[in-house]
Amino acid sequence: MSSNFPLNKSQLDNLIKDFPTPFYLYDEKAIRENMRKFTKAFSIFPKFVEHYAVKACPNPYILKILAEEGCGTDCSSLPELMLSEISDIKGDLVLFTSNETPAAEYKYAYERGNLINLDDITHIDYLKKHLGKLPEKICFRYNPGKDKQGCNSIIGKPEEAKYGLTREQIIQAYKICKDEGVKHFGLHTMVASNELNPDFFVDTAKLVFELAVEIKEKSGVRIEFVDLGGGLGIPYKPDQVAVDYDYVAKGIRAEYDRVLVPAGLDPMEIHWECGRPITGPYGWLITTAIHEKHTYKEYIGTDSCMADLMRPGMYGAYHEVTVSGKENAAKDHTYDVVGSLCENCDKFAVDRKLPKIDIGDHIIIHDAGAHGRAMGFNYNGKLRCGEILMREDGSFKEIRRRETIDDLFATLDLDGVKNFK
């Protein structure tokens, strides 16, 4: 577990009187402090920009908090671009890293001066066709294929990923864009997800820096910024260790000085597009035990389900589970903690050692501040829960209400179906 829950039992009980479970709770103060720590670590570069991955927690209140801490955003869809604009994140602070993208979405980003990160060499002509010209500033996503080893199972082997250009393609792409009059260039890669080995990111930077030098030599294009993607993991399990931001930054700086400075590519901006390490540890799914079941195993049923947090069911991902008021009690019971979805993978925890759980106990699912509520769905007609922000002064604000039946049925023609034959 990478962070402690900020409320004791009495405080949580009082909150639940106003906001019944299930809901997500985010800690504004902790998010701000963490973002400042991240920024400080990478301030050793000439310029540093964090484009927060909107997909991790697409709520404009969270985005505005991060904007106040100097963040931009990384987007992959039109609604994410719109959320950025609503949150006062504009221009090239918005990185549009999309693949197989409809023309209208590229046009929206272009008209607002957002930074477009292309995923394939064929997208150069696609942009010209639909925009009439290329942007003055453009970026390409590099897929290192077998040149990058040790990637974890979530993102898979680079050579089997649908993302990015090959080495040969990307050099050719920069040549084409230079001839078309593009003035400013960036280089991007993303080859990790939830990675805890800090040396992995230093090695990735080395690979990308060396490619930037090769691009300069073979195309005459000077890369002005490198986006190292995201992928920094968080310690979901109690025995895991958080990534040391300072260690990663200093390791990358050493490669910067070794590779880029002698090649005349200093100064170069360093960009990230992390989501999980920024907000992940500072969001929790709060749910209540409403059933118990004693068959071949011991089950605790909650008023939440996989529709609110799908990572355990989809990936077999681990999230620490605690019981409010029983944090120090003996973990002398073994439970599967489950929801009501009609799928057997609807389990928040399997064979988990926990204190005895009684009906009405409030269960806290940790490290859910990224890729939690964002990945929710309505299968089985489940209604997704809301989101609560704990402000720096200790007050609480509902920043997303829970869904209603009316929300679920809003796209159906219920009047028309009555006369349907």
Side-chain angles (χ1 to χ4, degrees), residues 168-187:
E168 294 76 16
Q169 288 174 335
I170 205 164
I171 292 170
Q172 182 62 24
Y174 286 113
K175 289 179 180 178
I176 293 170
C177 288
K178 180 185 177 185
D179 291 343
E180 290 284 343
V182 176
K183 304 295 184 184
H184 306 283
F185 298 90
L187 172 61

Side-chain angles (χ1 to χ4, degrees), residues 43 80 177 182 264 285 293 298 322 324 331 351 421:
S43 66
E80 291 181 354
C177 288
V182 176
L285 174 59
K293 184 179 176 73
E298 295 293 302
T322 57
S324 181
K331 296 180 179 180
D351 295 329
K421 295 182 180 180

Side-chain angles (χ1 to χ4, degrees), residues 26 52-59 74 80 274-277 279-280 368-375 387:
Y26 305 103
Y52 178 76
V54 177
K55 67 180 181 179
C57 192
N59 189 301
D74 168 61
E80 291 181 354
C274 292
R276 190 190 317 268
T279 58
H371 311 292
R373 176 59 173 75
M375 296 176 72
E387 296 173 299

Side-chain angles (χ1 to χ4, degrees), residues 155-286:
I155 205 164
K157 297 178 180 179
E159 64 268 28
E160 295 179 1
K162 68 174 182 174
Y163 308 107
L165 289 76
T166 67
R167 198 175 196 91
E168 294 76 16
Q169 288 174 335
I170 205 164
I171 292 170
Q172 182 62 24
Y174 286 113
K175 289 179 180 178
I176 293 170
C177 288
K178 180 185 177 185
D179 291 343
E180 290 284 343
V182 176
K183 304 295 184 184
H184 306 283
F185 298 90
L187 172 61
H188 169 281
T189 196
M190 173 76 176
V191 290
S193 182
N194 196 32
E195 178 60 59
L196 289 173
N197 177 7
D199 292 316
F200 183 94
F201 302 101
V202 178
D203 181 69
T204 299
K206 172 180 175 292
L207 181 149
V208 178
F209 292 163
E210 290 174 347
L211 177 57
V213 173
E214 184 177 353
I215 290 167
K216 179 184 177 185
E217 293 171 348
K218 293 184 176 179
S219 71
V221 165
R222 187 191 189 286
I223 300 298
E224 297 179 5
F225 73 91
V226 162
D227 187 320
L228 297 172
L232 273 74
I234 60 175
Y236 287 101
K237 297 182 179 180
D239 61 346
Q240 292 176 325
V241 178
V243 174
D244 185 330
Y245 299 155
D246 289 317
Y247 178 94
V248 173
K250 290 175 183 177
I252 293 174
R253 179 72 214 207
E255 293 298 330
Y256 180 104
D257 292 338
R258 185 186 68 84
V259 177
L260 297 179
V261 173
L265 290 174
D266 176 46
M268 183 180 287
E269 299 176 12
I270 301 298
H271 294 215
W272 283 96
E273 55 185 64
C274 292
R276 190 190 317 268
I278 305 303
T279 58
Y282 311 110
W284 301 264
L285 174 59
I286 314 300

Side-chain angles (χ1 to χ4, degrees), residues 2-273:
S2 54
S3 63
N4 293 321
F5 187 63
L7 303 179
N8 61 33
K9 185 178 187 303
S10 176
Q11 291 169 324
L12 181 59
D13 289 347
N14 287 332
L15 177 61
I16 290 171
K17 290 177 184 177
D18 294 326
F19 303 103
T21 61
F23 58 81
Y24 276 87
L25 177 67
Y26 305 103
D27 185 341
E28 177 183 354
K29 181 180 179 181
I31 290 171
R32 287 186 184 275
E33 289 176 349
N34 183 46
M35 189 60 238
R36 290 167 189 168
K37 180 180 177 182
F38 192 79
T39 300
K40 182 179 178 182
F42 290 94
S43 66
I44 60 176
F45 294 95
K47 183 177 180 180
F48 164 69
V49 180
E50 155 67 354
H51 301 274
Y52 178 76
V54 177
K55 67 180 181 179
C57 192
N59 189 301
Y61 286 87
I62 300 297
L63 298 182
K64 287 200 77 168
I65 288 169
L66 293 172
E68 290 173 4
E69 298 300 330
C71 284
T73 53
D74 168 61
C75 303
S76 58
S77 69
L78 178 58
E80 291 181 354
L81 292 170
M82 296 173 71
L83 280 172
S84 297
E85 191 169 17
I86 290 168
S87 306
D88 295 326
I89 302 174
K90 300 177 181 179
D92 61 5
L93 277 174
V94 178
L95 178 68
F96 189 39
T97 302
S98 184
N99 66 93
E100 316 310 333
T101 303
E105 299 191 12
Y106 278 134
K107 184 177 180 181
Y108 185 97
Y110 172 73
E111 289 175 347
R112 285 154 181 79
N114 301 153
L115 179 56
I116 295 176
N117 183 24
L118 293 181
D119 189 66
D120 191 72
I121 194 168
T122 62
H123 295 169
I124 299 171
D125 285 340
Y126 189 82
L127 274 191
K128 285 176 60 182
K129 176 182 177 180
H130 293 283
L131 300 182
K133 59 180 180 179
L134 295 177
E136 288 193 358
K137 188 174 185 179
I138 208 161
C139 186
F140 286 99
R141 179 170 182 166
Y142 173 52
N143 183 328
K146 294 182 179 180
D147 289 343
K148 181 62 177 173
Q149 300 296 313
C151 302
N152 58 35
S153 61
I154 296 177
I155 205 164
K157 297 178 180 179
E159 64 268 28
E160 295 179 1
K162 68 174 182 174
Y163 308 107
L165 289 76
T166 67
R167 198 175 196 91
E168 294 76 16
Q169 288 174 335
I170 205 164
I171 292 170
Q172 182 62 24
Y174 286 113
K175 289 179 180 178
I176 293 170
C177 288
K178 180 185 177 185
D179 291 343
E180 290 284 343
V182 176
K183 304 295 184 184
H184 306 283
F185 298 90
L187 172 61
H188 169 281
T189 196
M190 173 76 176
V191 290
S193 182
N194 196 32
E195 178 60 59
L196 289 173
N197 177 7
D199 292 316
F200 183 94
F201 302 101
V202 178
D203 181 69
T204 299
K206 172 180 175 292
L207 181 149
V208 178
F209 292 163
E210 290 174 347
L211 177 57
V213 173
E214 184 177 353
I215 290 167
K216 179 184 177 185
E217 293 171 348
K218 293 184 176 179
S219 71
V221 165
R222 187 191 189 286
I223 300 298
E224 297 179 5
F225 73 91
V226 162
D227 187 320
L228 297 172
L232 273 74
I234 60 175
Y236 287 101
K237 297 182 179 180
D239 61 346
Q240 292 176 325
V241 178
V243 174
D244 185 330
Y245 299 155
D246 289 317
Y247 178 94
V248 173
K250 290 175 183 177
I252 293 174
R253 179 72 214 207
E255 293 298 330
Y256 180 104
D257 292 338
R258 185 186 68 84
V259 177
L260 297 179
V261 173
L265 290 174
D266 176 46
M268 183 180 287
E269 299 176 12
I270 301 298
H271 294 215
W272 283 96
E273 55 185 64

